[in-house]
Amino acid sequence: PAGAVTALEGPSGEGKTTLLRLMLGLLPPENGEMSLVDSAGVRYALGADTRHSFAYVPQGNTVMAGTVAENLRLGSENATDEELETALKDACAWDFVSQLPMGIHSSIGESGKGLSEGQAQRLAIARALVRKAPVLLLDEVTSALDRDTEQRVLQNLMHRGLTTIVITHRLSVLNLCSRAYHVEGGAVTPLTAEELNLLATQ
């Protein structure tokens, strides 16, 4: 649903990342269809024409050599410094970026050399926020964050009103999600509210 955080959980290798690639129109479905439905009930087939509606943060380190600002403007080349700062704050990255010698204009090395894995993940989330797409896809991108920081990031995304789909193996994330689906054996099964609450406390 629009404006909500939805989780995809389940064992590795069961197709969670493939689902995100289907949403992005990078893969065609072998059967059935993938579509967006607007508030009026109009359906739009997912593909290259709808890809602009999504901001995608994949697994792995996606930070490139250059300044923090240059990395973030890969999301939107015309973003102002103020917009970059807001995105960094919502991604819980402003705390360390503001301490760099030149702030957002500080240089970082290839693959985020000089940054921790968690800091690189937060920069990648900030870059996706700069894109200002209505749907945000996160593929295990908070795995290196401590639980409190992860919770704050997801709460900030909720306050932005973004429709967020997050792949996670950290079940504590589920207590911030309005819906969750278990992906395994070629099936995508919705979790009941009781199952969601039970998993979130594990």
Side-chain angles (χ1 to χ4, degrees):
V5 179
T6 298
L8 300 176
E9 63 84 27
S12 297
E14 292 291 337
K16 298 184 296 296
T17 297
T18 299
L19 275 175
L20 299 192
R21 291 173 179 163
L22 284 162
M23 293 176 197
L24 291 166
L26 299 173
L27 296 172
E30 293 181 3
N31 297 290
E33 64 178 26
M34 300 280 289
S35 59
L36 291 173
V37 184
D38 69 15
S39 58
V42 179
R43 304 180 77 88
Y44 301 88
L46 291 175
D49 292 341
T50 58
R51 198 171 297 148
H52 66 277
S53 298
F54 297 89
Y56 174 46
V57 186
Q59 295 182 50
N61 191 319
T62 58
V63 177
M64 301 178 185
T67 67
V68 171
E70 287 169 343
N71 267 275
L72 298 188
R73 287 195 172 104
L74 292 172
S76 174
E77 61 182 14
N78 297 318
T80 66
D81 285 1
E82 290 74 20
E83 288 172 326
L84 300 187
E85 182 177 333
T86 297
L88 287 165
K89 287 178 177 177
D90 284 348
C92 296
W94 182 246
D95 56 346
F96 70 86
V97 171
S98 63
Q99 299 301 313
L100 295 174
M102 298 180 66
I104 62 172
H105 303 293
S106 298
S107 294
I108 48 182
E110 189 68 33
S111 299
K113 186 177 181 181
L115 300 177
S116 70
E117 185 179 351
Q119 289 172 334
Q121 286 182 338
R122 283 178 277 171
L123 285 185
I125 294 170
R127 181 169 57 209
L129 295 178
V130 169
R131 184 172 167 81
K132 293 185 178 178
V135 184
L136 182 62
L137 306 178
L138 304 177
D139 192 351
E140 288 283 2
V141 297
T142 59
S143 58
L145 305 184
D146 62 76
R147 183 174 295 187
D148 289 343
T149 302
E150 181 179 53
Q151 299 263 324
R152 283 191 292 124
V153 169
L154 291 176
Q155 287 169 345
N156 290 344
L157 299 181
M158 293 170 68
H159 291 150
R160 271 187 172 235
L162 286 173
T163 302
T164 305
I165 299 173
V166 55
I167 291 176
T168 184
H169 285 102
R170 190 178 291 177
L171 298 180
S172 60
V173 169
L174 300 183
N175 63 17
L176 289 175
C177 299
S178 61
R179 294 189 185 184
Y181 295 85
H182 181 76
V183 183
E184 187 171 8
V188 181
T189 308
L191 298 177
T192 65
E194 292 77 14
E195 290 172 327
L196 194 56
N197 289 333
L198 180 62
L199 285 172
T201 58
Q202 292 182 6

